[in-house]
Amino acid sequence: QVQLRESGGGLVQAGSSLRLSCAFSGRTTSPTAWFRQAPGKEHEFVAVVSWGGGTTYYADSVKGRFTISRDNTKNTVLLQMNNLKPEDTAVYYCASSRGQASEFTTWARANAWGQGTQVTVSS
């Protein structure tokens, strides 16, 4: 069973940057994705990276601003978030899936996730 733990959230002003980190443990060769959930809304796909790191997909809303990467030697997946906007405010979760990265764009595909980290962007 994969275990994941997010860190790096905080309160920032619009236009700022944050880097989220996801530490994972357990036997896995799964893709890892970031999702976010704003109050009263469903989980929204943000980005996914394949196990090897060579394949990534992004939501249109973050394309060009966010970058997902991973370092399997450190059991870490990163989400670099630049030019943050108030609409990026949410709890951010990292999650893993048994499927392919190309299929891991919906929360229903997740089979393990962390406790989440809050990101708040003020205008």
Side-chain angles (χ1 to χ4, degrees):
Q1 179 71 18
V2 178
Q3 294 183 326
L4 306 106
R5 184 176 74 251
E6 305 90 343
S7 61
L11 170 63
V12 297
Q13 291 186 331
S16 299
S17 297
L18 272 178
R19 188 174 71 172
L20 304 184
S21 181
C22 173
F24 63 89
S25 61
R27 295 187 64 181
T28 178
T29 56
S30 302
T32 304
W34 285 93
F35 289 82
R36 63 189 182 187
Q37 187 177 32
K41 295 189 175 181
E42 299 291 323
H43 287 89
E44 177 190 15
F45 168 75
V46 175
V48 62
V49 60
S50 61
W51 170 252
T55 300
T56 58
Y57 298 96
Y58 296 91
D60 287 343
S61 59
V62 307
K63 205 171 292 183
R65 299 188 297 125
F66 291 11
T67 302
I68 190 171
S69 62
R70 70 187 305 146
D71 183 345
N72 291 336
T73 65
K74 298 179 180 179
N75 284 12
T76 300
V77 175
L78 300 176
L79 184 68
Q80 177 66 42
M81 306 186 295
N82 297 329
N83 190 23
L84 283 160
K85 304 176 180 181
E87 51 264 43
D88 294 320
T89 295
V91 177
Y92 283 70
Y93 298 89
C94 65
S96 67
S97 171
R98 294 192 181 96
Q100 299 295 316
S102 59
E103 302 170 335
F104 193 16
T105 58
T106 60
W107 185 250
R109 292 281 186 174
N111 69 334
W113 52 88
Q115 83 289 348
T117 186
Q118 177 71 47
V119 172
T120 304
V121 184
S122 64
S123 58

